[in-house]
Amino acid sequence: APHQPLPDDDSPLDADSYGYGWQVGTLLGHPACFHVGGNPGYQALSVWLPLLRTSIVILLNDESADLCQILRQLLPAALNSTPSD
């Protein structure tokens, strides 16, 4: 559940708020919960799209890579391969 509002940025992930370890918002208009993290030399992103029953996980061993650009490249495949009922 959302607990803390968040400011806007230029990410394809639009986080409205933060709650219990997850950012809550949208990804291309789809409701999404996600968490971005990293340590020196590494980056990580986990996205859950509950209405599409789809998850996206990106793990990088390069802290200089553009995580948002990689997400933009993967989105078409992830959104076009959602399971059907």
Side-chain angles (χ1 to χ4, degrees):
H3 288 281
Q4 177 66 38
L6 293 172
D8 285 337
D9 62 14
D10 65 346
S11 170
L13 292 159
D14 184 19
D16 301 323
S17 56
Y18 182 84
Y20 297 116
W22 290 94
Q23 292 168 307
V24 180
T26 60
L27 174 59
L28 297 178
H30 300 282
C33 298
F34 51 96
H35 185 84
V36 179
N39 287 312
Y42 301 93
Q43 297 182 65
L45 171 67
S46 177
V47 180
W48 177 45
L49 303 166
L51 297 181
L52 298 177
R53 298 184 303 167
T54 299
S55 294
I56 301 168
V57 176
I58 301 172
L59 305 171
L60 301 171
N61 61 352
D62 180 355
E63 67 184 35
S64 65
D66 186 344
L67 188 62
C68 288
Q69 180 60 32
I70 293 169
L71 177 61
R72 286 184 187 99
Q73 291 173 348
L74 292 174
L75 280 175
L79 296 178
N80 287 330
S81 64
T82 58
S84 59
D85 290 328

